[in-house]
Amino acid sequence: MHIGFILDGNGRWAANKSLPRSIGHKRGAENVEVILKECKNLGVSTVTLYAFSTENWNRPVYEVKALMSLFKYYLNKKLISLCEENVRVTIIGDVSPFTKIIKKYIGNLEKLTKNNDGMQLNLAMNYGGRDEIVRATKKISKNVLNGTLKIDDIDERLFSENLDTRLQSCPDLIIRTAGEKRLSNFLLWQSAYSELFFSEKSWPDFNKDDLKSAITIFKD
């Protein structure tokens, strides 16, 4: 089973408690650890987390800086433990705008976990579904122009091979928190036949029981 998570509501969770938005993102990151462990316990084979969208750069500078600091901490510290838990990590999205140190940590994490054969974890960072489709189209177009690919060779399978997720399974279930009922540019190609579950809870409050309920509703 593949579950995609749109981790929404961290900032609003903090604002409702008169706390800085950065605290909400920190609490949301802590909840990612809890939910990932529960997914693993429940036998979920693939998890994709919408960690940072292409549109998130438009947030206030201080908030983006706080998110980058959080990424550095988790990529270099917390998520390394996933190697010991046999989790394979793949970063999806265009990582080129990130700092050298974040790109270094991303590379280290993917390298450390590449031979793991347990749960697949996709971290969507500077990710947008439309951007992914455009990038895939450019890669395919280059191959057509240089003569290594014929137009008639282009089909859904080939297109999927050029996406960030390549030939991973498509998400069976997409869970979005904080009450919004839209995909917000998340896995647009891959989610064509996904079931959708919307929770009114903000991501920091989404717990193990909520996850189990979403999976139960999906299976029913």
Side-chain angles (χ1 to χ4, degrees):
M1 183 180 188
H2 179 175
I3 302 180
F5 289 94
I6 301 176
L7 317 175
D8 200 13
N10 294 326
R12 278 168 283 170
W13 179 89
N16 289 337
K17 299 178 182 299
S18 300
L19 296 170
R21 290 177 65 88
S22 59
I23 298 298
H25 293 304
K26 183 175 183 296
R27 179 66 184 83
E30 291 168 353
N31 197 40
V32 163
E33 295 181 67
V34 174
I35 297 301
L36 281 181
K37 287 180 180 177
E38 188 62 17
C39 284
K40 195 166 181 291
N41 292 337
L42 293 171
V44 175
S45 60
T46 304
V47 170
T48 301
L49 301 176
Y50 205 5
F52 191 83
S53 76
T54 50
E55 291 83 11
N56 284 159
W57 295 107
N58 297 323
R59 294 187 177 191
V61 174
Y62 73 88
E63 188 174 351
V64 172
K65 285 184 176 179
L67 284 166
M68 293 303 117
S69 295
L70 202 58
F71 289 154
K72 284 190 285 187
Y73 173 69
Y74 271 85
L75 289 168
N76 191 41
K77 299 290 185 182
K78 287 286 187 178
L79 293 179
I80 295 298
S81 63
L82 294 174
C83 187
E84 299 171 358
E85 297 178 20
N86 199 32
V87 175
R88 185 174 186 270
V89 181
T90 300
I91 307 300
I92 65 173
D94 176 13
V95 301
S96 61
F98 291 120
T99 62
K100 288 183 179 179
I101 191 65
I102 288 181
K103 284 187 279 192
K104 176 185 175 181
Y105 292 159
I106 285 172
N108 289 343
L109 184 58
E110 289 187 317
K111 183 178 179 180
L112 280 171
T113 64
K114 68 178 183 179
N115 294 321
N116 290 350
D117 57 4
M119 188 174 77
Q120 170 70 43
L121 172 61
N122 299 317
L123 296 176
M125 297 180 63
N126 192 36
Y127 175 87
R130 290 180 175 180
D131 178 69
E132 179 187 29
I133 290 170
V134 169
R135 287 186 286 106
T137 303
K138 287 179 178 179
K139 285 189 284 184
I140 293 169
S141 299
K142 284 180 181 178
N143 289 332
V144 172
L145 288 173
N146 66 29
T148 60
L149 183 70
K150 296 178 180 178
I151 290 179
D152 289 341
D153 293 332
I154 301 172
D155 56 17
E156 289 187 13
R157 179 181 175 84
L158 184 137
F159 199 87
S160 294
E161 288 175 348
N162 284 275
L163 294 172
D164 296 343
T165 50
R166 290 172 179 84
L167 289 177
Q168 291 186 26
S169 65
C170 291
D172 302 288
L173 173 65
I174 292 179
I175 296 173
R176 179 169 187 158
T177 54
E180 300 291 349
K181 295 179 175 62
R182 58 178 183 267
L183 287 175
S184 294
N185 207 13
F186 180 58
L187 298 179
L188 297 182
W189 175 277
Q190 299 89 334
S191 65
Y193 298 102
S194 303
E195 295 285 337
L196 307 177
F197 180 88
F198 300 105
S199 172
E200 293 298 321
K201 288 187 175 181
S202 294
W203 174 251
D205 289 330
F206 188 84
N207 58 40
K208 296 178 183 179
D209 289 336
D210 297 319
L211 174 62
K212 290 176 182 175
S213 294
I215 292 174
T216 298
I217 291 171
F218 164 76
K219 290 183 175 178
D220 287 347

